[in-house]
Each structure stands twice: as structure tokens, then as C-alpha cells.
């Protein structure tokens, strides 16, 4: 079955460490997205990518970095510069056909906790 | 900039009853798409229903239907015959081109 796989499901980070969250899709989707979810905040866009080797900052990109070396993969690194990284992170993907009414397909998320 | 507002942080409904979740959005565009997503306790985001702005007819998916008022920029979700499995966070979302913007969500409780 096609879908999006996020790993790990739970991740613990020590202060000052960088950690990388994995996101892989086999849907042949063009675009991929990273969202952060905090209680009462909804989903906030961190980064997104419409094509390999290109990506754009979302609303809360500070302290995060991404890469898009393959169409299927869009890993997110939470750097030590991110002051409050404890949150639930969701990866999503979609087609970008002109006029398409596609929503997103989501992964199952990664819960990151700073210890 | 586009925004999506869900004014009800939490709602409760008796099982088998009908409930309506509100959503308003702000945009200057005429061509866009609207969605309702459900996030149950598993936290998996599930697409419930979608609406194209150029269609006047309200979308319906089984027990879920929307009331789309384009001029008022309103997009409410009606759940009929509520079931215990409907308990979740519901997010209203707006898509234009390559990005989707989400509201802050409404937590729906189903009372047995």
C-alpha cells in the first residue's frame, strides 16, 4: 500500500543535540511538508518542498533544516538552535497538478521530547 | 495572508445527535479548496471532506456534510448521527496553490 512513513514514532533529545526525523513516501507525490503541532496551536508549517533539491521556509523555520535529495524523502533536522523543540511533528505530501483539489496525505507523526 | 479561524475550541454532542463545527477563513482569491480533517487519539490525520470553491453544491460524505457560504467565507461541518468513533480533533483547512493552512482545531466529545 502507498503511504507516508515517519520514524521514529518517539524521539528523545538532550539539550544541545541535533536530531533528524525521517519522512519517506511511496506515493510519487511532488510536494512534501513538515508541520509542528502544539496544544491549542493547530498545525504550523515548518518547511516544504515542491521539487527535488529545492525547499522553502514555512512560518516557523528557525531552528530547523531540511533536505530533498530524493523525491521520496524529506528529512527534518531539529537543531540545537530550536529553543523549544518538544512537540508532535507531522510530515505530509500531495500532488501539485494545476487545479487539483488534493488534500494532503499525512504520516503518523513523531513525538519529540527534550530531556 | 490567508487565515483560518475555528471559534469553538471544544464541543460536545450526545451520541446519535447532530453537531455543527464552525470555520471561517479569509482570502482574496476566488479559486481555492477547503477541507475538514479529523485527528483521533491515534493522532493520524484523516481527510473527512473537501469542497471546491467554484462549486456551489455542498459536499457530502455519508454522515458528514458541509455548509459552504462563499460570500460569507464560511465552511461549517455537520456530523449527523454522531458516533463514539467521531470523537477527535477536527481541523478546517484552506488550500490555494501549493500550501494548506490549518485552523487551530475543535475538539469534539461524544457523550454516550
Amino acid at each position: 500500500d502507498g503511504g507516508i512513513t515517519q520514524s521514529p514514532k518517539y524521539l528523545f533529545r538532550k539539550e544541545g543535540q541535533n536530531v533528524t526525523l525521517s519522512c519517506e513516501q511511496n506515493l510519487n507525490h511532488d510536494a512534501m511538508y513538515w508541520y509542528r503541532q502544539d496544544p491549542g496551536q493547530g498545525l504550523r508549517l515548518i518547511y516544504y518542498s515542491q521539487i527535488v533539491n529545492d525547499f522553502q521556509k514555512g512560518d516557523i523555520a528557525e531552528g530547523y533544516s531540511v533536505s530533498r535529495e530524493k523525491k521520496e524523502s524529506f528529512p527534518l533536522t531539529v537543531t540545537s538552535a530550536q529553543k523549544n523543540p518538544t512537540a508532535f511533528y507531522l510530515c505530509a505530501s500531495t500532488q501539485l497538478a494545476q487545479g487539483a483539489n488534493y488534500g494532503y496525505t499525512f504520516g503518523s507523526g513523531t513525538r519529540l521530547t527534550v530531556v | 495572508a490567508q487565515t483560518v479561524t475555528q471559534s469553538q475550541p471544544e464541543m460536545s454532542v450526545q451520541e446519535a445527535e447532530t453537531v455543527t463545527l464552525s470555520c471561517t477563513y479569509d482570502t482574496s482569491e476566488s479559486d481555492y479548496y477547503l477541507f475538514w480533517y479529523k485527528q483521533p487519539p491515534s493522532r493520524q490525520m484523516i481527510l473527512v471532506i473537501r469542497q471546491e470553491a467554484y462549486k456551489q453544491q455542498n459536499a457530502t460524505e455519508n454522515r458528514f456534510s458541509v455548509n459552504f457560504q462563499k460570500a460569507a467565507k464560511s465552511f461549517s461541518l455537520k456530523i449527523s448521527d454522531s458516533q463514539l468513533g467521531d470523537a477527535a480533533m477536527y481541523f478546517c483547512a484552506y488550500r490555494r496553490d501549493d500550501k494548506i493552512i490549518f485552523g487551530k482545531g475543535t475538539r469534539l466529545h461524544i457523550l454516550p
Side-chain angles (χ1 to χ4, degrees):
Chain A
D1 285 340
I4 298 180
T5 301
Q6 287 189 244
S7 62
K9 191 173 180 67
Y10 300 97
L11 187 57
F12 297 90
R13 191 195 93 168
K14 293 183 180 179
E15 295 278 356
Q17 273 187 338
N18 293 354
V19 290
T20 297
L21 284 59
S22 171
C23 178
E24 304 276 336
Q25 55 101 357
N26 60 4
L27 301 164
N28 199 33
H29 281 174
D30 305 303
M32 297 185 74
Y33 305 80
W34 275 106
Y35 284 88
R36 170 178 171 144
Q37 186 177 16
D38 297 282
Q41 294 292 325
L43 278 69
R44 293 183 291 170
L45 183 63
I46 304 172
Y47 268 99
Y48 66 104
S49 168
Q50 297 176 273
I51 195 169
V52 173
N53 293 324
D54 189 39
F55 45 82
Q56 289 77 40
K57 292 182 179 180
D59 301 319
I60 55 167
E62 185 176 353
Y64 300 96
S65 66
V66 294
S67 62
R68 187 92 185 272
E69 297 178 1
K70 300 185 299 182
K71 187 176 184 178
E72 307 80 34
S73 179
F74 192 42
L76 174 73
T77 296
V78 184
T79 75
S80 57
Q82 170 50 237
K83 299 306 179 188
N84 184 22
T86 294
F88 187 66
Y89 291 86
L90 281 163
C91 180
S93 70
T94 190
Q95 294 284 21
L96 288 178
Q98 188 68 26
N101 65 346
Y102 300 108
Y104 288 170
T105 300
F106 282 88
S108 56
T110 293
R111 174 69 183 175
L112 173 63
T113 303
V114 174
V115 297
Chain B
Q2 296 90 357
T3 59
V4 178
T5 302
Q6 294 179 249
S7 60
Q8 305 149 314
E10 287 195 65
M11 294 189 72
S12 296
V13 63
Q14 207 75 32
E15 193 175 4
E17 297 294 311
T18 295
V19 63
T20 298
L21 279 57
S22 300
C23 173
T24 59
Y25 58 95
D26 183 28
T27 184
S28 59
E29 305 292 340
S30 60
D31 186 20
Y32 50 87
Y33 304 95
L34 297 164
F35 307 88
W36 278 97
Y37 279 88
K38 170 185 178 181
Q39 188 181 43
S42 68
R43 308 198 78 170
Q44 177 71 52
M45 293 285 283
I46 302 165
L47 180 62
V48 175
I49 199 165
R50 73 186 78 193
Q51 174 80 45
E52 293 92 337
Y54 63 86
K55 288 187 176 179
Q56 292 186 334
Q57 186 175 5
N58 289 325
T60 298
E61 291 286 342
N62 300 315
R63 298 182 295 108
F64 298 87
S65 61
V66 298
N67 183 6
F68 173 48
Q69 301 290 330
K70 191 172 184 178
K73 297 179 183 176
S74 171
F75 183 60
S76 61
L77 175 69
K78 186 172 81 171
I79 306 175
S80 303
D81 184 25
S82 298
Q83 300 175 0
L84 294 177
D86 295 333
M89 280 289 285
Y90 286 83
F91 293 97
C92 179
Y94 163 102
R95 176 173 179 173
R96 165 71 178 171
D97 296 329
D98 58 354
K99 287 191 292 185
I100 293 182
I101 300 167
F102 291 86
K104 294 187 176 182
T106 296
R107 183 171 298 282
L108 180 64
H109 303 277
I110 309 296
L111 307 174

